Amino acid sequence: MDRRTVLLTGMTALLAGCGMGAPKVQLGSDGKPLPQVYNVNEQGEGVVAYRLLDSLNTLRASRGLAPVAFNAELNAAAATHSRDMSVQNRPWHFGSDGSSPFDRANRVGYTGKFLGELISETYETELETLATWMGTPDMRAVLLDPKATEVGFAWFQEPNGKIWWTFCTGGLRGV
């Protein structure tokens, strides 16, 4: 065998092996790939939360805004509402007991000024959800509120993969 034949045989074997371990992508009737379930628990709670916080603070910094930090009480209010939206099977700002976002923040002992809440019912990741929120002027205003100093962020994922995201903002009283 000459050198070219050996090289061609080797390259063919190498290229053939590249596709062997690749996962099969299921296609929908439109020919596009079907969405994959994003398992939040596999990512790790801290990883998901801080990936969103870091991304948000990068967006805020690009607009000359101060960074925000997590607040335990706002996180608790967000977690309660995410689970409750799943129970109600609808994304909205009121709890099954009629509570408002302000009520939930007060119940968990939040002492700052509650500023806003964003919610989402989706199968998307936290960063895709953040991008969607940034794409809507009213939601973007909550994320980029210059009065915000603290945030709460939580989710509840159903066994079918649907994720209920809740994001809350707060700031200093009297500001």
Side-chain angles (χ1 to χ4, degrees):
M1 273 198 211
D2 70 6
R3 214 158 94 188
R4 281 182 271 176
T5 306
V6 171
L7 281 173
L8 271 172
T9 304
M11 298 268 299
T12 303
L14 181 65
L15 289 174
C18 287
M20 298 199 50
K24 302 257 188 226
V25 176
Q26 291 185 329
L27 300 178
S29 59
D30 59 0
K32 295 181 181 177
L34 293 173
Q36 300 295 311
V37 171
Y38 177 66
N39 189 330
V40 180
N41 293 330
E42 284 180 4
Q43 302 298 311
E45 186 174 332
V47 170
V48 170
Y50 281 98
R51 190 165 32 218
L52 178 113
L53 184 66
D54 291 344
S55 297
L56 174 60
N57 280 331
T58 299
L59 291 167
R60 289 177 63 87
S62 73
R63 288 162 174 82
L65 298 169
V68 292
F70 281 128
N71 173 280
E73 288 84 15
L74 290 177
N75 282 338
T80 299
H81 192 55
S82 291
R83 182 174 288 276
D84 191 46
M85 284 190 296
S86 172
V87 169
Q88 296 182 71
N89 196 32
R90 65 177 170 182
W92 75 324
H93 293 283
F94 295 95
S96 55
D97 61 356
S99 62
S100 72
F102 298 98
D103 295 333
R104 289 189 294 277
N106 286 332
R107 280 186 194 158
V108 296
Y110 182 63
T111 58
K113 181 179 181 183
F114 186 86
L115 297 172
E117 178 183 77
L118 299 176
I119 57 173
S120 181
E121 168 196 18
T122 184
Y123 291 89
E124 295 179 335
T125 70
E126 68 281 0
L127 296 182
E128 291 169 317
T129 302
L130 176 61
T132 299
W133 288 337
M134 283 295 292
T136 305
D138 291 347
M139 295 179 180
R140 184 173 48 248
V142 172
L143 295 165
L144 302 178
D145 187 340
K147 295 180 216 148
T149 58
E150 304 174 304
V151 298
F153 177 60
W155 58 89
F156 178 77
Q157 186 164 28
E158 296 178 353
N160 68 5
K162 184 189 294 183
I163 307 168
W164 300 87
W165 301 103
T166 304
F167 177 85
C168 304
T169 59
L172 302 173
R173 286 230 174 256
V175 177

